[in-house]
Amino acid sequence: MSSTTEQATGARTWSVAEHLDDILTAVQPLEPIELNLLDAQGCVLVEQVTVPVALPPFDNSSMDGYAVRAADTERASEASPAVLTVIGDVAAGSSGTGLTVGPGRAARIMTGAPLPPGADAVVPVEWTDGGTGAGPARTMAPHSASPQGSGGQVRVHRPVTPHAHVRARGGDVCAGDVALEAGTVLGPPQIALLSAIGRPAARVRPRPRVVVLSTGSELAQPGEELAAGQIYDSNSFALAAAAKDAGAIVYRVGAVTDDAETLRATIEDQLIRADLLVTTGGVSVGAYDVVKEALTAVAEEEPEGPEGEHSEGEEGEEAEQAVHRAHVDFRTLAMQPGKPQGFGTIGPDRTPILTLPGNPVSSYVSFELFVRPAIRAMMGLADLHRPVVRATLLPPHGAGDEEPAPLTSPEGKRQFLRGTYTGGERPEVRPVGGSGSHLIGALAHADALIVVPEAATKAAWGSEVEVVLLG
């Protein structure tokens, strides 16, 4: 990365791709750890998991009914049912070895119970009289209230074939099979499989802990009374929600006032629980741009040894003032919105920090382009980016009969406009709201970003454009 001093001169304008590549080169996947299954949900598996035992581990019934020899039912019908002697019950959780089903015999069996020796099929209870001697049964009488339930006779009204309604041992997976490959994201079905084969935990890359804080003395928290000149802090809520959506464990910090020392102290306090820090606001060229002031001053004043490290005598001070190891580049990007950006590392563990602009749309677009891929890279995911498609650009809804002027874009900048996307055979996208980076109301109704490339200064209605899908 270039030095902070060089960037402060404004000598270079970075492209979106260059800035993103710089971030992804520096951000590394988190070290794998062993997590309990529910804690591992949403994480990426780092090892191949094989099946230790067959699933299911034994032949078992898929129905409540009667375990039988299929040959004893082959001539059964409503008019001439097969009459079998009931020798007992086989409940789920039992061994199934206490009873043997011989010719002309049957055992009441419950769903999931092991198939007893001698039986090769299960007759659903609805195909029998349930041992009552009456018509077809709708249900099986409870064991505790059925004097004939585990004895007597049962009339079978329909034949079954061998293995009917039986879940065969290993019918799902066999011992030695690969259950899950390394790189699998553990969702509910994968968690179910791991638990089914007896795994209480999984070795995964953990979800990164992301600390989000906004800056600005003008910011009040929702629920508070607004004083003169104040607005509500929406950025920290939006970015915390976006980080959570990306897969992170999120800690939202209330707005920090425009004071460099206060900001440095807040960041230092948060480093202990952060794998990634995200700030919003204070990175432009104003007199009160506190993030840039705080972190630039630290980087410029940091004493370094021969190889760019602190001298040995300052190791104790480093532990107390971790923020004094900040290397943050503040950059001008060829994009709109989101021109001012910052990226670097901070603290003794070189925790990545991304500093985003303060306008709501700018911060959110910046998150989607830069922070979301960084979070997913730290998780070890292969798919880092939102889907990108092509769609026909149409005028906004409510534009009227007269076609509005084409969309315009500053030359040399990649513009990201909010839009609503309609898929199908002929995908379409329409702008929503204006281009102002403060228009958060329009952002709430958008599900896509319309991309106007650097070389274009306008986008005509009916033309094909690149679209980033947000939903």
Side-chain angles (χ1 to χ4, degrees), residues 209 271-272 274-275 322 325 345-352:
R209 301 165 300 163
L271 282 174
I272 193 172
D275 297 309
R325 291 190 65 178
T345 61
I346 193 165
D349 296 326
R350 304 296 192 195
T351 303

Side-chain angles (χ1 to χ4, degrees), residues 121-137:
V122 172
V123 178
V125 66
E126 295 88 349
W127 295 7
T128 75
D129 67 352
T132 64

Side-chain angles (χ1 to χ4, degrees), residues 394-419:
L394 297 180
H397 288 293
D401 296 334
E402 187 174 337
E403 186 174 279
L407 293 181
T408 60
S409 182
E411 185 176 2
K413 291 185 179 181
R414 181 174 296 188
Q415 184 164 209
F416 297 89
L417 300 167
R418 286 136 291 174

Side-chain angles (χ1 to χ4, degrees), residues 256-278:
V256 180
T257 59
D258 290 325
D259 177 77
E261 288 302 324
T262 300
L263 176 61
R264 281 196 284 262
T266 302
I267 290 176
E268 187 170 339
D269 287 343
Q270 296 300 319
L271 282 174
I272 193 172
R273 63 175 182 177
D275 297 309
L276 175 67
L277 279 161
V278 180

Side-chain angles (χ1 to χ4, degrees), residues 147-166:
Q148 296 109 355
S150 57
Q153 294 182 326
V154 64
R155 288 168 172 77
V156 179
H157 301 145
R158 293 173 60 178
V160 289
T161 57
H163 313 298
H165 310 296
V166 174

Side-chain angles (χ1 to χ4, degrees), residues 57 99 113 155 160-161 168 207 267 306 359 371 384 388 432 439 463:
L99 300 174
R155 288 168 172 77
V160 289
T161 57
R207 294 186 293 156
I267 290 176
N359 279 317
V371 184
L384 304 183
V388 176
V432 56
L439 301 175
S463 64

